[in-house]
Amino acid sequence: MVTAPDQRQLLSIVVPCYNEEESFPALRAALTSVAAELEKEVLRVELVFVDDGSRDGTWGQIAAFAAADARVHGVSLARNFGHQAALTCGYDLACGDAVVCLDADLQDPPELIAVLVKKWREGYDVVYAVREHRQGESAFKRWTAACFYRLLRRLGATYVRADCGDFRLMNRASVDALGRLHEYHRFIRGLVGWVGFRTAEVRYQRRPRRAGVTKYPLPKMVRLALDAVVSFSSAPLRLTYWLAGGLMVVVLGYLTYVLINHFIFGGPLLPGWSSLILVITLFGAVNLFCLGLMGEYIGRIYEQVKNRPLYLVRQQLTGGDVATVKTTAHADSPASSSE
Ligand code: UDP
Ligand code: MG
């Protein structure tokens, strides 16, 4: 007997996981019940877990979930490629008519997915989950996040929506559009803004992390922030003109002072050693700063032209069939699998 193909729309839920063995049991329970609720709404659900080179038992837990539930797909990356690369892998592999990404630590409430789906069904292509309040995050993290988004706006990076993480729903067309962007240093929330499409917002209260510690320590946050600035603004390069102009004004002012002091008040023409050293040091520092700034851009151009894959897959499991293992390198060029 031939069974009719399942016409229900497919929703993919993508979760990047890095050393999340403590959060995973709660995540599994939450997603299982949310998937059951969503499936009542004439939807099929697939769960895509991307293990970003965890060194704890995360992959074992993902494999166990995949063995028990046919809707689960697990991907283990060859090493820790970083959150944005893991997310890209999830977007590449997700087959859904819509794709929702969320963090493994349950800071993004899975119950909100139903609200995102509702907006999608109203006809929106991208539905952002906007953080209204961030519980359990240090004042320092909240302050740096607020400053970061304001700074990006100031620098003209208008595509980056403030207070949005990577918790969002995207329809198939916008996911495919995102897959066409081959940037190596990815700041996905900015890229999603760049692709455009019809967007809607849903507000939510961000919860504290369920278990374990943040996998985004300060150096990783700084790197992401730099990627965001360099990818979306060339204003820092123009800063060198402003610095040069400002210093010219200071130097000309100082020269005028020395000349007036000498010719009108009979002061010495050589004002002394300390001011000379000060000026030399200042110029040296500004020069180095500008070189470093340009290095940020040039280094990224270099990384981009090398055209290395954004991530490599070590192992892939398809729900209910643990024997299906793929060990080949994936993605010849960043996000190539979505083309
Ligand atoms: N993550 C990842 N690779 C990394 C760092 C983080 O896949 O190199 C995942 C992590 O497991 C989590 C999500 O990215 O699911 C967000 O990380 P985290 O919750 O630690 O960041 P925070 O909420 O503290 O900014
Ligand atoms: Mg988190």
Side-chain angles (χ1 to χ4, degrees):
M1 192 180 87
V2 180
T3 50
D6 197 338
Q7 297 295 335
R8 293 175 299 164
Q9 284 181 301
L10 178 67
L11 175 76
S12 304
I13 301 177
V14 170
V15 191
C17 305
Y18 179 50
N19 293 340
E20 296 286 5
E21 68 175 3
E22 285 153 305
S23 314
F24 201 87
L27 176 72
R28 177 175 172 167
L31 287 180
T32 306
S33 77
V34 164
E37 283 300 313
L38 289 168
E39 279 169 339
K40 285 184 198 158
E41 295 198 31
V42 214
L43 267 180
R44 285 177 300 135
V45 175
E46 69 166 4
L47 303 169
V48 181
F49 294 96
V50 183
D51 176 30
D52 187 17
S54 299
R55 292 203 194 98
D56 63 1
T58 305
W59 179 239
Q61 296 197 34
I62 293 173
F65 196 8
D69 192 326
R71 299 168 301 183
V72 176
H73 304 280
V75 188
S76 168
L77 300 187
R79 62 170 169 83
N80 178 237
F81 283 90
H83 178 218
Q84 302 292 295
L87 267 182
T88 305
C89 173
Y91 276 121
D92 288 349
L93 297 178
C95 302
D97 298 295
V99 182
V100 174
C101 286
L102 80 164
D103 289 357
D105 56 5
L106 292 173
Q107 281 198 279
D108 308 324
E111 312 84 71
L112 200 75
I113 295 175
V115 186
L116 301 180
V117 167
K118 196 160 162 266
K119 281 272 172 201
W120 166 49
R121 293 207 149 154
E122 282 171 21
Y124 292 99
D125 305 309
V126 179
V127 189
Y128 290 104
V130 181
R131 299 161 181 182
E132 207 155 53
H133 183 65
R134 301 158 74 114
Q135 298 170 30
E137 286 187 349
S138 66
F140 176 72
K141 187 150 188 168
R142 273 180 281 146
W143 180 75
T144 46
C147 291
F148 168 63
Y149 286 115
R150 304 302 166 269
L151 173 75
L152 275 179
R153 289 228 146 239
R154 280 261 150 142
L155 292 175
T158 44
Y159 299 116
V160 186
R161 171 81 181 75
D163 302 319
C164 280
D166 287 302
F167 184 25
R168 75 180 84 77
L169 178 147
M170 295 178 77
N171 71 355
R172 178 48 40 203
S174 58
V175 170
D176 288 346
L178 184 67
R180 292 181 60 197
L181 307 183
H182 293 247
E183 291 180 43
Y184 191 78
H185 294 273
R186 294 174 93 72
F187 182 63
I188 293 179
R189 56 200 86 160
L191 297 178
V192 172
W194 187 89
V195 297
F197 288 83
R198 281 195 71 203
T199 60
E201 293 182 1
V202 167
R203 302 198 157 259
Y204 78 107
Q205 310 269 324
R206 197 155 207 242
R207 293 179 190 150
R209 184 172 243 285
R210 178 60 70 98
V213 292
T214 176
K215 308 302 175 308
Y216 254 106
L218 194 60
K220 269 193 187 174
M221 267 169 60
V222 172
R223 189 125 292 278
L224 184 69
L226 272 174
D227 282 345
V229 171
V230 174
S231 305
F232 284 93
S233 170
S234 39
L237 286 176
R238 286 193 289 276
L239 185 75
T240 53
Y241 292 128
W242 288 103
L243 276 175
L247 282 172
M248 282 289 225
V249 170
V250 173
V251 169
L252 284 177
Y254 186 62
L255 186 71
T256 314
Y257 160 77
V258 169
L259 291 177
I260 291 175
N261 193 35
H262 177 68
F263 288 113
I264 299 180
F265 301 106
L269 198 54
L270 292 172
W273 189 81
S274 342
S275 50
L276 198 67
I277 290 294
L278 193 80
V279 170
I280 292 172
T281 325
L282 184 68
F283 271 86
V286 170
N287 271 330
L288 283 179
F289 175 77
C290 295
L291 273 179
L293 204 62
M294 284 181 219
E296 287 292 337
Y297 286 84
I298 294 169
R300 281 169 172 75
I301 297 170
Y302 181 53
E303 296 271 0
Q304 186 71 46
V305 295
K306 279 194 280 189
N307 202 21
R308 287 191 186 156
L310 199 60
Y311 57 85
L312 294 167
V313 175
R314 183 183 70 84
Q315 194 177 356
Q316 203 171 330
L317 302 174
T318 307
D321 179 13
V322 184
T324 312
V325 175
K326 192 176 163 192
T327 48
T328 49
H330 186 79
D332 298 317
S333 59
S336 64
S337 65
S338 58
E339 289 215 319

